[in-house]
């Protein structure tokens, strides 16, 4: 005689199945933390996009040495938690790629430049118009999981900062007669 399809206690002829134990849970180790995991956690925190500072500010003249530099170019350190372990991440800017917005080739330097009177990094614009300057900072990075030692990443991490608008004007000499 067919019965219900659910298990009921007792009864003759019923099979009793042995309980199976769940698989053993493998706990993560500090070695299991990968650079990809660290990078996804720290991308916005660790690697700041630096902006271009321009002198003269806001506008410049054709054929004038326009000074560019950036601030806040220092080593950044932060701590995140991954797989239950504290991870210290350090980012060091090692080079800077300047794009001047006028179609000239990018310039890569090893320093962040300095404001006037230093003319460490300059650019001359050859025609008037409006441009946007950008700076890509190339960071060397390393991380330390639960004080197990520093692990260095291959290559650099390039981060491009916000664009800086600049107007290029052209000065035109005009002769005047002061006696008139």
């Amino acid at each position: 005689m067919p019965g219900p399809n659910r298990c009921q206690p007792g009864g003759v002829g019923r099979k009793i199945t042995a309980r199976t134990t769940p698989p053993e849970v493998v706990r993560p180790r500090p070695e299991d933390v990968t650079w990809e995991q660290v990078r996804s956690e720290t991308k916005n925190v660790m690697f700041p996009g630096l902006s271009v500072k321009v002198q003269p500010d806001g506008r410049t003249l054709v054929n004038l040495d326009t000074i560019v530099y950036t601030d806040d170019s220092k080593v950044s350190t932060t701590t995140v938690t991954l797989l239950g372990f504290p991870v210290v991440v350090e980012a060091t800017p090692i080079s800077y790629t300047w794009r001047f917005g006028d179609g000239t080739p990018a310039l890569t330097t090893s320093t962040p430049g300095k404001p006037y009177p230093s003319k460490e990094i300059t650019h001359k614009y050859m025609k008037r118009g409006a441009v946007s300057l950008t700076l890509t900072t190339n960071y060397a990075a390393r991380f330390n999981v639960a004080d197990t030692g520093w692990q260095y990443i291959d290559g650099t991490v390039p981060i491009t900062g916000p664009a800086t608008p600049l107007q290029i004007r052209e000065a035109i000499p005009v002769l005047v007669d002061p006696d008139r």
Side-chain angles (χ1 to χ4, degrees):
M1 174 172 184
N5 289 336
R6 58 191 163 117
C7 295
Q8 294 185 353
V12 179
R14 295 195 187 257
K15 286 186 180 180
I16 299 176
T17 57
R19 288 189 175 184
T20 58
T21 57
E24 185 179 328
V25 176
V26 178
R27 293 196 172 272
R29 302 168 299 159
E31 304 86 57
D32 296 332
V33 175
T34 66
W35 170 244
E36 288 74 25
Q37 292 168 321
V38 172
R39 177 82 167 107
S40 70
E41 282 293 315
T42 61
K43 182 176 183 177
N44 297 324
V45 177
M46 274 304 300
F47 303 96
L50 304 179
S51 62
V52 178
K53 307 291 184 194
V54 182
Q55 289 179 324
D57 186 28
R59 49 187 163 163
T60 189
L61 292 173
V62 170
N63 287 320
L64 176 73
D65 276 338
T66 304
I67 300 169
V68 295
Y69 66 98
T70 189
D71 292 333
D72 303 325
S73 178
K74 60 184 185 262
V75 175
S76 301
T77 304
T78 193
T79 302
V80 295
T81 301
L82 286 170
L83 301 179
F85 299 106
V87 180
V88 178
V89 185
E90 187 177 276
T92 305
I94 59 168
S95 68
Y96 307 85
T97 302
W98 309 86
R99 288 180 183 79
F100 298 102
D102 62 350
T104 59
L107 171 68
T108 300
T109 64
S110 60
T111 64
K114 295 178 184 170
Y116 182 84
S118 172
K119 289 190 173 186
E120 188 175 327
I121 304 169
T122 63
H123 183 72
K124 281 187 184 181
Y125 289 95
M126 302 315 286
K127 60 183 178 180
R128 65 184 177 171
V131 296
S132 291
L133 292 83
T134 58
L135 173 62
T136 300
T137 307
N138 300 296
Y139 291 94
R142 65 183 188 162
F143 64 102
N144 186 343
V145 182
D147 290 326
T148 58
W150 288 104
Q151 297 179 51
Y152 293 83
I153 65 140
D154 293 330
T156 60
V157 178
I159 302 293
T160 301
T164 301
L166 181 66
Q167 288 289 321
I168 299 115
R169 306 284 186 192
E170 187 171 7
I172 301 172
V174 176
L175 294 176
V176 294
D177 186 357
D179 293 334
R180 288 192 169 202

